[in-house]
PDB file of all heavy atoms in Angstrom:
ATOM      1  N   SER A   3     129.532  64.476 -36.759  1.00 95.00           N
ATOM      2  CA  SER A   3     129.298  64.095 -38.144  1.00 95.00           C
ATOM      3  C   SER A   3     129.078  65.367 -38.965  1.00 95.00           C
ATOM      4  O   SER A   3     128.026  66.009 -38.854  1.00 95.00           O
ATOM      5  CB  SER A   3     128.084  63.170 -38.278  1.00 95.00           C
ATOM      6  OG  SER A   3     127.852  62.856 -39.640  1.00 95.00           O
ATOM      7  N   ASP A   4     130.091  65.726 -39.743  1.00 92.00           N
ATOM      8  CA  ASP A   4     129.964  66.945 -40.544  1.00 92.00           C
ATOM      9  C   ASP A   4     129.629  66.659 -42.001  1.00 92.00           C
ATOM     10  O   ASP A   4     129.336  67.579 -42.763  1.00 92.00           O
ATOM     11  CB  ASP A   4     131.257  67.766 -40.481  1.00 92.00           C
ATOM     12  CG  ASP A   4     132.431  67.001 -41.077  1.00 92.00           C
ATOM     13  OD1 ASP A   4     132.376  65.752 -41.112  1.00 92.00           O
ATOM     14  OD2 ASP A   4     133.415  67.661 -41.483  1.00 92.00           O
ATOM     15  N   GLU A   5     129.684  65.357 -42.378  1.00 90.00           N
ATOM     16  CA  GLU A   5     129.377  64.979 -43.759  1.00 90.00           C
ATOM     17  C   GLU A   5     128.100  64.150 -43.846  1.00 90.00           C
ATOM     18  O   GLU A   5     127.228  64.440 -44.655  1.00 90.00           O
ATOM     19  CB  GLU A   5     130.553  64.207 -44.366  1.00 90.00           C
ATOM     20  CG  GLU A   5     131.828  65.062 -44.502  1.00 90.00           C
ATOM     21  CD  GLU A   5     132.962  64.272 -45.107  1.00 90.00           C
ATOM     22  OE1 GLU A   5     132.785  63.042 -45.321  1.00 90.00           O
ATOM     23  OE2 GLU A   5     134.029  64.865 -45.367  1.00 90.00           O
ATOM     24  N   GLN A   6     128.004  63.150 -43.003  1.00 92.00           N
ATOM     25  CA  GLN A   6     126.807  62.310 -43.010  1.00 92.00           C
ATOM     26  C   GLN A   6     125.855  62.777 -41.910  1.00 92.00           C
ATOM     27  O   GLN A   6     126.286  63.254 -40.863  1.00 92.00           O
ATOM     28  CB  GLN A   6     127.184  60.848 -42.784  1.00 92.00           C
ATOM     29  CG  GLN A   6     128.071  60.269 -43.884  1.00 92.00           C
ATOM     30  CD  GLN A   6     128.418  58.811 -43.621  1.00 92.00           C
ATOM     31  OE1 GLN A   6     128.069  58.253 -42.584  1.00 92.00           O
ATOM     32  NE2 GLN A   6     129.097  58.182 -44.572  1.00 92.00           N
ATOM     33  N   VAL A   7     124.580  62.617 -42.169  1.00 94.00           N
ATOM     34  CA  VAL A   7     123.583  63.055 -41.213  1.00 94.00           C
ATOM     35  C   VAL A   7     123.371  61.976 -40.159  1.00 94.00           C
ATOM     36  O   VAL A   7     123.576  60.782 -40.411  1.00 94.00           O
ATOM     37  CB  VAL A   7     122.256  63.390 -41.920  1.00 94.00           C
ATOM     38  CG1 VAL A   7     122.427  64.571 -42.857  1.00 94.00           C
ATOM     39  CG2 VAL A   7     121.738  62.179 -42.698  1.00 94.00           C
ATOM     40  N   VAL A   8     122.980  62.445 -38.978  1.00 93.00           N
ATOM     41  CA  VAL A   8     122.629  61.542 -37.885  1.00 93.00           C
ATOM     42  C   VAL A   8     121.219  61.901 -37.426  1.00 93.00           C
ATOM     43  O   VAL A   8     120.717  62.998 -37.694  1.00 93.00           O
ATOM     44  CB  VAL A   8     123.624  61.663 -36.715  1.00 93.00           C
ATOM     45  CG1 VAL A   8     124.999  61.190 -37.143  1.00 93.00           C
ATOM     46  CG2 VAL A   8     123.696  63.098 -36.197  1.00 93.00           C
ATOM     47  N   TYR A   9     120.620  60.954 -36.681  1.00 94.00           N
ATOM     48  CA  TYR A   9     119.228  61.148 -36.287  1.00 94.00           C
ATOM     49  C   TYR A   9     119.153  61.856 -34.933  1.00 94.00           C
ATOM     50  O   TYR A   9     119.789  61.439 -33.963  1.00 94.00           O
ATOM     51  CB  TYR A   9     118.516  59.790 -36.217  1.00 94.00           C
ATOM     52  CG  TYR A   9     117.042  59.908 -35.926  1.00 94.00           C
ATOM     53  CD1 TYR A   9     116.176  60.426 -36.866  1.00 94.00           C
ATOM     54  CD2 TYR A   9     116.538  59.488 -34.688  1.00 94.00           C
ATOM     55  CE1 TYR A   9     114.822  60.513 -36.591  1.00 94.00           C
ATOM     56  CE2 TYR A   9     115.191  59.574 -34.414  1.00 94.00           C
ATOM     57  CZ  TYR A   9     114.332  60.107 -35.377  1.00 94.00           C
ATOM     58  OH  TYR A   9     112.987  60.213 -35.097  1.00 94.00           O
ATOM     59  N   PHE A  10     118.344  62.943 -34.894  1.00 95.00           N
ATOM     60  CA  PHE A  10     118.060  63.665 -33.655  1.00 95.00           C
ATOM     61  C   PHE A  10     116.677  63.232 -33.171  1.00 95.00           C
ATOM     62  O   PHE A  10     115.664  63.497 -33.832  1.00 95.00           O
ATOM     63  CB  PHE A  10     118.072  65.186 -33.895  1.00 95.00           C
ATOM     64  CG  PHE A  10     119.445  65.785 -34.058  1.00 95.00           C
ATOM     65  CD1 PHE A  10     120.183  65.573 -35.222  1.00 95.00           C
ATOM     66  CD2 PHE A  10     120.009  66.558 -33.054  1.00 95.00           C
ATOM     67  CE1 PHE A  10     121.438  66.128 -35.374  1.00 95.00           C
ATOM     68  CE2 PHE A  10     121.263  67.111 -33.201  1.00 95.00           C
ATOM     69  CZ  PHE A  10     121.992  66.903 -34.357  1.00 95.00           C
ATOM     70  N   LYS A  11     116.645  62.556 -32.004  1.00 94.00           N
ATOM     71  CA  LYS A  11     115.371  62.042 -31.486  1.00 94.00           C
ATOM     72  C   LYS A  11     114.376  63.174 -31.212  1.00 94.00           C
ATOM     73  O   LYS A  11     113.208  63.088 -31.605  1.00 94.00           O
ATOM     74  CB  LYS A  11     115.607  61.254 -30.204  1.00 94.00           C
ATOM     75  CG  LYS A  11     116.379  59.962 -30.390  1.00 94.00           C
ATOM     76  CD  LYS A  11     116.528  59.244 -29.049  1.00 94.00           C
ATOM     77  CE  LYS A  11     117.304  57.949 -29.205  1.00 94.00           C
ATOM     78  NZ  LYS A  11     117.478  57.222 -27.913  1.00 94.00           N
ATOM     79  N   THR A  12     114.847  64.185 -30.511  1.00 95.00           N
ATOM     80  CA  THR A  12     113.934  65.272 -30.126  1.00 95.00           C
ATOM     81  C   THR A  12     113.399  65.992 -31.353  1.00 95.00           C
ATOM     82  O   THR A  12     112.194  66.306 -31.433  1.00 95.00           O
ATOM     83  CB  THR A  12     114.662  66.273 -29.210  1.00 95.00           C
ATOM     84  OG1 THR A  12     115.173  65.572 -28.075  1.00 95.00           O
ATOM     85  CG2 THR A  12     113.732  67.378 -28.761  1.00 95.00           C
ATOM     86  N   LEU A  13     114.247  66.239 -32.315  1.00 94.00           N
ATOM     87  CA  LEU A  13     113.825  66.943 -33.524  1.00 94.00           C
ATOM     88  C   LEU A  13     113.162  66.021 -34.536  1.00 94.00           C
ATOM     89  O   LEU A  13     112.521  66.500 -35.472  1.00 94.00           O
ATOM     90  CB  LEU A  13     115.044  67.624 -34.184  1.00 94.00           C
ATOM     91  CG  LEU A  13     115.779  68.661 -33.320  1.00 94.00           C
ATOM     92  CD1 LEU A  13     116.984  69.207 -34.086  1.00 94.00           C
ATOM     93  CD2 LEU A  13     114.853  69.797 -32.911  1.00 94.00           C
ATOM     94  N   ALA A  14     113.351  64.707 -34.329  1.00 95.00           N
ATOM     95  CA  ALA A  14     112.778  63.700 -35.235  1.00 95.00           C
ATOM     96  C   ALA A  14     113.198  63.975 -36.674  1.00 95.00           C
ATOM     97  O   ALA A  14     112.381  63.939 -37.605  1.00 95.00           O
ATOM     98  CB  ALA A  14     111.255  63.679 -35.117  1.00 95.00           C
ATOM     99  N   GLN A  15     114.495  64.197 -36.836  1.00 94.00           N
ATOM    100  CA  GLN A  15     115.001  64.459 -38.184  1.00 94.00           C
ATOM    101  C   GLN A  15     116.484  64.129 -38.237  1.00 94.00           C
ATOM    102  O   GLN A  15     117.152  64.038 -37.207  1.00 94.00           O
ATOM    103  CB  GLN A  15     114.769  65.916 -38.600  1.00 94.00           C
ATOM    104  CG  GLN A  15     115.408  66.932 -37.674  1.00 94.00           C
ATOM    105  CD  GLN A  15     115.143  68.356 -38.094  1.00 94.00           C
ATOM    106  OE1 GLN A  15     115.933  68.893 -38.862  1.00 94.00           O
ATOM    107  NE2 GLN A  15     114.048  68.951 -37.634  1.00 94.00           N
ATOM    108  N   TYR A  16     116.959  63.959 -39.454  1.00 95.00           N
ATOM    109  CA  TYR A  16     118.370  63.680 -39.675  1.00 95.00           C
ATOM    110  C   TYR A  16     119.067  64.993 -40.066  1.00 95.00           C
ATOM    111  O   TYR A  16     118.572  65.745 -40.915  1.00 95.00           O
ATOM    112  CB  TYR A  16     118.557  62.651 -40.787  1.00 95.00           C
ATOM    113  CG  TYR A  16     118.167  61.254 -40.395  1.00 95.00           C
ATOM    114  CD1 TYR A  16     116.861  60.795 -40.597  1.00 95.00           C
ATOM    115  CD2 TYR A  16     119.117  60.378 -39.850  1.00 95.00           C
ATOM    116  CE1 TYR A  16     116.501  59.521 -40.236  1.00 95.00           C
ATOM    117  CE2 TYR A  16     118.756  59.084 -39.498  1.00 95.00           C
ATOM    118  CZ  TYR A  16     117.451  58.661 -39.690  1.00 95.00           C
ATOM    119  OH  TYR A  16     117.090  57.380 -39.334  1.00 95.00           O
ATOM    120  N   ARG A  17     120.199  65.217 -39.483  1.00 95.00           N
ATOM    121  CA  ARG A  17     120.977  66.416 -39.782  1.00 95.00           C
ATOM    122  C   ARG A  17     122.417  66.201 -39.340  1.00 95.00           C
ATOM    123  O   ARG A  17     122.712  65.273 -38.593  1.00 95.00           O
ATOM    124  CB  ARG A  17     120.373  67.653 -39.113  1.00 95.00           C
ATOM    125  CG  ARG A  17     120.158  67.460 -37.638  1.00 95.00           C
ATOM    126  CD  ARG A  17     119.347  68.617 -37.037  1.00 95.00           C
ATOM    127  NE  ARG A  17     119.980  69.919 -37.249  1.00 95.00           N
ATOM    128  CZ  ARG A  17     119.461  71.030 -36.773  1.00 95.00           C
ATOM    129  NH1 ARG A  17     118.306  71.019 -36.080  1.00 95.00           N
ATOM    130  NH2 ARG A  17     120.075  72.168 -36.985  1.00 95.00           N
ATOM    131  N   THR A  18     123.320  67.018 -39.831  1.00 96.00           N
ATOM    132  CA  THR A  18     124.729  66.904 -39.428  1.00 96.00           C
ATOM    133  C   THR A  18     124.883  67.371 -37.980  1.00 96.00           C
ATOM    134  O   THR A  18     124.080  68.155 -37.464  1.00 96.00           O
ATOM    135  CB  THR A  18     125.623  67.766 -40.330  1.00 96.00           C
ATOM    136  OG1 THR A  18     125.191  69.130 -40.270  1.00 96.00           O
ATOM    137  CG2 THR A  18     125.555  67.287 -41.773  1.00 96.00           C
ATOM    138  N   ASN A  19     125.943  66.886 -37.351  1.00 97.00           N
ATOM    139  CA  ASN A  19     126.197  67.218 -35.958  1.00 97.00           C
ATOM    140  C   ASN A  19     127.621  67.764 -35.844  1.00 97.00           C
ATOM    141  O   ASN A  19     128.595  67.011 -35.996  1.00 97.00           O
ATOM    142  CB  ASN A  19     126.035  65.979 -35.074  1.00 97.00           C
ATOM    143  CG  ASN A  19     126.185  66.326 -33.601  1.00 97.00           C
ATOM    144  OD1 ASN A  19     125.969  67.454 -33.189  1.00 97.00           O
ATOM    145  ND2 ASN A  19     126.569  65.336 -32.809  1.00 97.00           N
ATOM    146  N   PRO A  20     127.816  69.098 -35.565  1.00 97.00           N
ATOM    147  CA  PRO A  20     129.157  69.686 -35.526  1.00 97.00           C
ATOM    148  C   PRO A  20     129.867  69.474 -34.202  1.00 97.00           C
ATOM    149  O   PRO A  20     130.956  70.018 -33.992  1.00 97.00           O
ATOM    150  CB  PRO A  20     128.874  71.184 -35.744  1.00 97.00           C
ATOM    151  CG  PRO A  20     127.525  71.385 -35.127  1.00 97.00           C
ATOM    152  CD  PRO A  20     126.762  70.126 -35.380  1.00 97.00           C
ATOM    153  N   ALA A  21     129.291  68.723 -33.280  1.00 98.00           N
ATOM    154  CA  ALA A  21     129.885  68.503 -31.955  1.00 98.00           C
ATOM    155  C   ALA A  21     129.590  67.081 -31.521  1.00 98.00           C
ATOM    156  O   ALA A  21     128.949  66.314 -32.241  1.00 98.00           O
ATOM    157  CB  ALA A  21     129.306  69.509 -30.965  1.00 98.00           C
ATOM    158  N   ILE A  22     130.084  66.728 -30.334  1.00 98.00           N
ATOM    159  CA  ILE A  22     129.672  65.467 -29.736  1.00 98.00           C
ATOM    160  C   ILE A  22     128.779  65.783 -28.545  1.00 98.00           C
ATOM    161  O   ILE A  22     128.957  66.814 -27.864  1.00 98.00           O
ATOM    162  CB  ILE A  22     130.880  64.600 -29.301  1.00 98.00           C
ATOM    163  CG1 ILE A  22     131.725  65.350 -28.265  1.00 98.00           C
ATOM    164  CG2 ILE A  22     131.719  64.194 -30.502  1.00 98.00           C
ATOM    165  CD1 ILE A  22     132.858  64.490 -27.674  1.00 98.00           C
ATOM    166  N   ILE A  23     127.786  64.925 -28.308  1.00 98.00           N
ATOM    167  CA  ILE A  23     126.855  65.110 -27.197  1.00 98.00           C
ATOM    168  C   ILE A  23     127.205  64.054 -26.155  1.00 98.00           C
ATOM    169  O   ILE A  23     127.028  62.845 -26.396  1.00 98.00           O
ATOM    170  CB  ILE A  23     125.403  64.967 -27.658  1.00 98.00           C
ATOM    171  CG1 ILE A  23     125.139  65.861 -28.881  1.00 98.00           C
ATOM    172  CG2 ILE A  23     124.447  65.298 -26.532  1.00 98.00           C
ATOM    173  CD1 ILE A  23     125.398  67.336 -28.630  1.00 98.00           C
ATOM    174  N   ILE A  24     127.739  64.507 -25.033  1.00 98.00           N
ATOM    175  CA  ILE A  24     128.196  63.591 -23.973  1.00 98.00           C
ATOM    176  C   ILE A  24     127.106  63.503 -22.912  1.00 98.00           C
ATOM    177  O   ILE A  24     126.718  64.523 -22.319  1.00 98.00           O
ATOM    178  CB  ILE A  24     129.505  64.086 -23.337  1.00 98.00           C
ATOM    179  CG1 ILE A  24     130.581  64.282 -24.410  1.00 98.00           C
ATOM    180  CG2 ILE A  24     129.994  63.123 -22.283  1.00 98.00           C
ATOM    181  CD1 ILE A  24     131.867  64.905 -23.888  1.00 98.00           C
ATOM    182  N   GLY A  25     126.594  62.289 -22.687  1.00 97.00           N
ATOM    183  CA  GLY A  25     125.564  62.087 -21.669  1.00 97.00           C
ATOM    184  C   GLY A  25     126.103  62.366 -20.273  1.00 97.00           C
ATOM    185  O   GLY A  25     127.252  62.051 -19.949  1.00 97.00           O
ATOM    186  N   ALA A  26     125.269  62.988 -19.411  1.00 97.00           N
ATOM    187  CA  ALA A  26     125.701  63.311 -18.043  1.00 97.00           C
ATOM    188  C   ALA A  26     124.477  63.444 -17.162  1.00 97.00           C
ATOM    189  O   ALA A  26     123.332  63.300 -17.614  1.00 97.00           O
ATOM    190  CB  ALA A  26     126.500  64.604 -18.042  1.00 97.00           C
ATOM    191  N   LYS A  27     124.740  63.693 -15.894  1.00 97.00           N
ATOM    192  CA  LYS A  27     123.660  63.968 -14.962  1.00 97.00           C
ATOM    193  C   LYS A  27     123.618  65.476 -14.713  1.00 97.00           C
ATOM    194  O   LYS A  27     124.646  66.155 -14.696  1.00 97.00           O
ATOM    195  CB  LYS A  27     123.888  63.230 -13.642  1.00 97.00           C
ATOM    196  CG  LYS A  27     123.836  61.712 -13.766  1.00 97.00           C
ATOM    197  CD  LYS A  27     124.093  61.044 -12.415  1.00 97.00           C
ATOM    198  CE  LYS A  27     124.052  59.532 -12.523  1.00 97.00           C
ATOM    199  NZ  LYS A  27     124.325  58.866 -11.220  1.00 97.00           N
ATOM    200  N   GLU A  28     122.417  65.968 -14.485  1.00 97.00           N
ATOM    201  CA  GLU A  28     122.284  67.396 -14.204  1.00 97.00           C
ATOM    202  C   GLU A  28     123.031  67.730 -12.913  1.00 97.00           C
ATOM    203  O   GLU A  28     122.849  67.074 -11.888  1.00 97.00           O
ATOM    204  CB  GLU A  28     120.809  67.775 -14.076  1.00 97.00           C
ATOM    205  CG  GLU A  28     120.560  69.268 -13.944  1.00 97.00           C
ATOM    206  CD  GLU A  28     119.088  69.605 -13.923  1.00 97.00           C
ATOM    207  OE1 GLU A  28     118.261  68.744 -14.320  1.00 97.00           O
ATOM    208  OE2 GLU A  28     118.741  70.731 -13.510  1.00 97.00           O
ATOM    209  N   GLY A  29     123.892  68.729 -12.992  1.00 97.00           N
ATOM    210  CA  GLY A  29     124.694  69.132 -11.838  1.00 97.00           C
ATOM    211  C   GLY A  29     126.115  68.626 -11.880  1.00 97.00           C
ATOM    212  O   GLY A  29     126.929  69.023 -11.026  1.00 97.00           O
ATOM    213  N   ASP A  30     126.454  67.732 -12.853  1.00 98.00           N
ATOM    214  CA  ASP A  30     127.833  67.271 -12.963  1.00 98.00           C
ATOM    215  C   ASP A  30     128.751  68.449 -13.311  1.00 98.00           C
ATOM    216  O   ASP A  30     128.379  69.341 -14.086  1.00 98.00           O
ATOM    217  CB  ASP A  30     127.971  66.201 -14.051  1.00 98.00           C
ATOM    218  CG  ASP A  30     127.403  64.854 -13.623  1.00 98.00           C
ATOM    219  OD1 ASP A  30     127.096  64.712 -12.412  1.00 98.00           O
ATOM    220  OD2 ASP A  30     127.249  63.969 -14.495  1.00 98.00           O
ATOM    221  N   GLU A  31     129.963  68.411 -12.718  1.00 98.00           N
ATOM    222  CA  GLU A  31     130.922  69.489 -12.982  1.00 98.00           C
ATOM    223  C   GLU A  31     131.552  69.325 -14.362  1.00 98.00           C
ATOM    224  O   GLU A  31     131.836  68.215 -14.806  1.00 98.00           O
ATOM    225  CB  GLU A  31     132.014  69.495 -11.917  1.00 98.00           C
ATOM    226  CG  GLU A  31     131.509  69.900 -10.542  1.00 98.00           C
ATOM    227  CD  GLU A  31     132.635  69.952  -9.508  1.00 98.00           C
ATOM    228  OE1 GLU A  31     133.726  69.383  -9.801  1.00 98.00           O
ATOM    229  OE2 GLU A  31     132.443  70.547  -8.438  1.00 98.00           O
ATOM    230  N   VAL A  32     131.787  70.471 -15.017  1.00 98.00           N
ATOM    231  CA  VAL A  32     132.424  70.499 -16.336  1.00 98.00           C
ATOM    232  C   VAL A  32     133.772  71.188 -16.183  1.00 98.00           C
ATOM    233  O   VAL A  32     133.865  72.286 -15.635  1.00 98.00           O
ATOM    234  CB  VAL A  32     131.555  71.239 -17.364  1.00 98.00           C
ATOM    235  CG1 VAL A  32     132.261  71.302 -18.711  1.00 98.00           C
ATOM    236  CG2 VAL A  32     130.188  70.579 -17.490  1.00 98.00           C
TER     237      VAL A  32
END
């Protein structure tokens, strides 16, 4: 989202997101 803000749980704030956050397990191969 480069125009509209989205909510960041950890930061507890709304802000734009220049990437996508893909859920995974620690140790998964990229």
Side-chain angles (χ1 to χ4, degrees):
S3 178
D4 63 336
E5 295 180 355
Q6 297 180 356
V7 296
V8 295
Y9 185 70
F10 285 73
K11 293 181 180 180
T12 303
L13 300 178
Q15 58 181 270
Y16 288 90
R17 53 189 302 182
T18 58
N19 185 24
I22 60 174
I23 309 301
I24 304 174
K27 295 179 180 179
E28 187 176 343
D30 286 349
E31 292 182 344
V32 178

